Structure formats: structure tokens, C-alpha cells
Amino acid sequence: MDFCVEQQPEGGLLQSLHWMDVLRDEGITVITVDDHATSPCYAIVQPLRGIGPYAYVPRVATMTDQLARALAALPYAWVRFDAADAAAVHKCAQASQKRVYAAPHDMQPRHNLIVDIRPHTDTLLAAMKPKTRYNIRLAEKRGVCVRPTQSLADYDAFFALVDATALRKGVHFHDHAHYRAILTQLPRDMVTLYGAFYRDVMIAGSIVTFYNGTATYLHGATSDRHRDVMAPFALQWRAIRDARNRQCAWYDFGGVFPHTQDPGRQGITRFKMGFAPRTSLHATAGSHDIVRSPLRYAAYRAGQKIKHYFT
């Protein structure tokens, strides 16, 4: 797979004031980081039992000397940020005069599939893998109906699908409160819950945001039943067409995992890449930590190793 760090905008959703409203609604502490040079960015305070809180700055688009110094001055043992590239990490270390380490895990996926959706829909369909095109048409032929919804009953149906998907895949998803905050705290024209209905029952759903010219697929869930009607393919195709109608230039499918050996992540990657197999992936350098308290940071990393050993 090819990788690209330019020309495919991530959109900036996770650094928007709107997204901070979502987090605050969940009771999460958000602080403003003002570097006195550019627009302020936002940091999320992350509590850790026995260690104390650290700050996390999602998706730093451009690392400047002023921002690096402002981050290093925050009153926390360390500050984590998502670096756009290796140059941003190097600049941060130089300007902050602090040790900067790769975080023990990335807070956001390192690779996103971000597709240019400005071409005609026929062109977008032609660029897909044949199986993806087939499944989109099969869903339509089988009678899958995809529609946006603001119904509270459909919200509950989506939450039930989230629980079913988590149980089936053996993974932990967000609490219902997180999805509810996204759907209720973001402006109505900025977020949509799509439901895929088969015989009047929601069998798949997805949350898509529309911000700064980019539509972003945030979350999705599916039922254990009627998987043969290919509802997830219809969901994505409807969201892509709606994004074009909203004058979005890009559709962000979210994280993909080109190097994983995990079967579940391999399946996610195959599904998403089927919509644009020749599109270069948007790559970042992952999460990094600016360390202000080496002693507390060392205790944290030791705890992470112990936790990893027993899980």
C-alpha cells in the first residue's frame, strides 16, 4: 500500500470546539492550549490512578516552536500528542527542550483511508473493487433501505447493535453515553446517524460527521442477523453520496491497519479498502509523549509493561 501525508485532509474534527462540547458533555475535562501565535488547540485531561493526570492533544496538524513550548509548559507529568510526521516530533523535542518518547500505544490509528469523492458517482463506483460494487447493488436488490434518522427509538436500536457487535467480536466499544453525546451535542447539520433497515428492522448503523469539507465515518455496528444482505456496504455508499451533496471533498473511512496480523482488523481494512483500493493511505507518526516528570513517567511505563504482561 502507498502512504501519503499531504493532499488528503483529516478534517480537524478532533480539534474542533464542537468536539470539545461532546467531551465536556461526557464529564471529560478539556483545557485550551494557547501558543499566542496561531489558533488555540485543545487538550484532554486523562486521569490515571496512582500516577496522576496527563494531558492528551489529539491530531496536531502543525507543530510550531510556540506550540511545542506551550505544550511542554502544561502542568502535567507528561503531555501526549498525535504527531503528523517525524519532523513534527523532532521539532517538538528541539523547541520544548524536553525528552519526547513514542507513546506505548497510539491514541488514534496511524493510517486513515481518506477518499477524494469529488468525481462523479459512476467514477467512484468504477474505482471500487468489483466485490464491493457487487455488494452495494446486492443490498439494494435485497431491499435494504438506508436513511438518516433522529428517532430516539432508532438511537436505542443502534446502541443495541453496538452491544451485539462488541459481543460478537469480543472487543470493548464506547459506552452508550459517548454515542449519545456525539448525536446530541454536535450541531444537527454536522452529524448523522444512518440506519440500514431490512424488513423495517435496523440491522446496521453508522455515525458520520460533516466538518470542514470532510465527511468522517466515526462508528458503525451491525446485527448478527441478515448479514447476507450486505447492509454495511449500502450504509457507506449512502453516506458518500450525501457527503458529495453537502459539497464535501473528502470521505474519511477512519482507521485502517495495513500491517496488522489481527484477523478482526484485517477484516476492517479489507472492507474499507474495497471502496478505494488504489487510494494512498493518510499516514501519521502516531502518539508521542513530552515528558516533564521523568520519575512519574517511568512509573507509568513500568505499569504499562506489567499490565501488558498479564493481558
Side-chain angles (χ1 to χ4, degrees), residues 48 50-53 76-78 98-99 101 290-304:
L48 283 177
I51 299 292
Y76 300 98
W78 69 93
K98 301 289 184 184
R99 287 292 187 95
Y101 298 95
I290 307 169
V291 177
R292 298 183 74 247
S293 174
L295 185 62
R296 288 168 62 190
Y297 188 70
Y300 159 70
R301 293 299 293 258
Q304 288 290 300

Side-chain angles (χ1 to χ4, degrees), residues 1-69:
M1 294 180 181
D2 295 328
F3 303 96
C4 179
V5 294
E6 297 177 349
Q7 299 178 348
Q8 295 177 311
E10 181 267 333
L13 174 69
L14 299 188
Q15 270 297 328
S16 69
L17 184 58
H18 298 298
W19 190 253
M20 297 307 116
D21 289 340
V22 170
L23 299 181
R24 290 189 181 102
D25 185 72
E26 295 182 76
I28 296 171
T29 300
V30 175
I31 59 175
T32 302
V33 183
D34 192 350
D35 64 5
H36 304 290
T38 59
S39 299
C41 68
Y42 300 101
I44 303 160
V45 179
Q46 304 272 42
L48 283 177
R49 184 182 302 175
I51 299 292
Y54 71 96
Y56 165 54
V57 187
R59 295 294 191 191
V60 177
T62 304
M63 178 61 71
T64 64
D65 291 348
Q66 295 93 330
L67 179 58
R69 288 191 286 267

Side-chain angles (χ1 to χ4, degrees), residues 234-300:
L235 274 173
Q236 296 293 339
W237 183 230
R238 171 63 188 266
I240 289 170
R241 287 178 293 159
D242 283 0
R244 292 183 77 259
N245 291 337
R246 288 172 177 248
Q247 307 304 311
C248 290
W250 306 94
Y251 189 85
D252 186 350
F253 280 89
V256 292
F257 310 94
H259 308 303
T260 186
Q261 298 301 313
D262 177 76
R265 289 188 167 187
Q266 288 177 341
I268 291 170
T269 301
R270 281 195 302 270
F271 169 72
K272 294 179 179 180
M273 292 302 302
F275 288 86
R278 291 185 290 276
T279 296
S280 299
L281 299 182
H282 179 80
T284 71
S287 300
H288 286 72
D289 294 332
I290 307 169
V291 177
R292 298 183 74 247
S293 174
L295 185 62
R296 288 168 62 190
Y297 188 70
Y300 159 70

